[in-house]
Amino acid sequence: MPMNENTKSNQQPAATATAVTAVTAVTAAVRTVLVTGGTGKTGSRVAERLTGLGRTARIGSRTAPIPFDWADDTTWDAALEGVDAAYLAYYPDLAFPGAVETVGAFARRAAKAGVGRLVLLSGRGEEAAQAAEAAVAEAGTGWTVVRCAWFDQNFSESFFLDPVLAGELALPTGVAVEPFVDVDDIADVAAAALTEDGHDGEVYELTGPRLLSFADVAAELSAATGREIRFTAVSLEEYRAVLATVGLPGEFADLFSMVLDGRNAHLADGVERALGRPPRDFADYARAAAASGVWNV
């Protein structure tokens, strides 16, 4: 766990000072971290935090100086060379066909290359994601799973940005509720797991502090932006047609129906267990995003 303000006194008990020295020795060994999906919502933030901690963040993407592509295993060895730890963010989603096999193969390749730690970005309520978690755990490295709810930032950085700008969230969700999680919390947990002692073998299930329906989300976004943003329930078929118009796979619609059937309608304590603080609330995210101007029309 990171220290809080109450543990920064110079008058530390001897046992505490010893523990801090041990953690420092472990974290100092992690110098270079491969961040797959390093230009994405979580990966870019993880890389930023690693850099701030004095680590080298090697961005794993097709356009990076050392290219990395999940779909091309000939890029893996070079990307893993000299790496102490790796953040695994599989695109498009661990629930997609072939993801489990690919992530498992990469984890084994990482272990063979001498990588000591793997941190997997995973999803709640997805059987395939849990199979990928098991594949990483069995690869032969230290590992941590960061199992996440739906991202707050989906409304300001990707899938739902245009609908918010248009003033309507039309989604196949009905009255389903979800404990949306802030991506900054995910990045904080991932960075801690990659660089600190004490996280190996942990499954951190990350959620926000309350359950929200998409109608609740629309209300929060309306309050933050000062303009009306509506929620409209649509059928899966209608949503597949919408996805096709923006070039996204129709499988995302099926993912909606799978994970928003009530299986994830509960809170978890992963942020607090990993970081010793509560998770950020959606309303705080919405106010900050509105202040940035991303939703200005």
Side-chain angles (χ1 to χ4, degrees):
M1 295 286 183
M3 294 186 296
N4 59 39
E5 293 298 324
N6 294 328
T7 62
K8 292 184 179 178
S9 168
N10 291 327
Q11 304 299 318
Q12 291 179 333
T16 300
T18 300
V20 170
T21 300
V23 169
T24 301
V26 171
T27 59
V30 178
R31 300 304 307 171
T32 301
V33 181
L34 173 64
V35 182
T36 69
T39 59
K41 285 190 289 295
T42 66
S44 61
R45 289 171 167 86
V46 171
E48 180 181 80
R49 283 154 175 77
L50 292 170
T51 300
L53 292 169
R55 278 30 175 213
T56 297
R58 179 177 296 171
I59 302 302
S61 73
R62 289 190 294 266
T63 59
I66 302 175
F68 171 83
D69 186 346
W70 281 110
D72 181 2
D73 64 2
T74 66
T75 67
W76 296 358
D77 290 338
L80 287 167
E81 186 175 354
V83 166
D84 304 303
Y87 175 68
L88 311 185
Y90 182 84
Y91 182 84
D93 190 89
L94 291 175
F96 276 52
V100 173
E101 294 77 11
T102 300
V103 169
F106 179 78
R108 292 187 294 274
R109 188 84 64 90
K112 185 177 180 181
V115 176
R117 297 182 179 183
L118 298 176
V119 175
L120 176 68
L121 178 68
S122 186
R124 301 174 86 216
E126 301 176 20
E127 292 181 4
Q130 292 177 20
E133 295 171 9
V136 170
E138 295 166 1
T141 70
W143 60 271
T144 306
V145 169
V146 182
R147 187 187 290 165
C148 302
W150 285 78
F151 301 167
D152 292 352
Q153 279 76 4
N154 283 339
F155 296 95
S156 55
E157 297 181 23
S158 61
F159 305 114
F160 308 136
L161 173 57
D162 287 343
V164 172
L165 292 173
E168 182 180 28
L169 294 172
L171 299 166
T173 63
V175 297
V177 293
E178 172 75 11
F180 297 89
V181 65
D182 196 295
V183 169
D184 284 314
D185 283 342
I186 299 170
D188 286 345
V189 172
L194 287 162
T195 61
E196 296 177 1
D197 195 22
H199 300 285
D200 280 353
E202 293 286 351
V203 177
Y204 292 124
E205 192 163 333
L206 309 188
T207 73
R210 58 191 173 118
L211 294 169
L212 297 169
S213 68
F214 278 83
D216 295 331
V217 166
E220 293 284 3
L221 296 175
S222 297
T225 60
R227 58 187 178 82
E228 184 184 8
I229 297 170
R230 303 178 304 279
F231 166 70
T232 302
V234 299
S235 69
L236 282 174
E237 290 71 24
E238 289 172 317
Y239 193 61
R240 285 193 188 93
V242 171
L243 291 172
T245 65
V246 294
L248 290 173
E251 287 87 350
F252 278 123
D254 299 318
L255 189 58
F256 262 103
S257 64
M258 178 176 69
V259 301
L260 293 174
D261 62 358
R263 71 183 70 186
N264 292 328
H266 59 275
L267 305 180
D269 64 353
V271 173
E272 190 159 4
R273 284 202 299 119
L275 303 175
R277 65 163 175 79
R280 296 176 176 91
D281 188 74
F282 187 91
D284 295 327
Y285 148 74
R287 285 191 291 269
S292 76
V294 69
W295 292 321
N296 289 351
V297 293

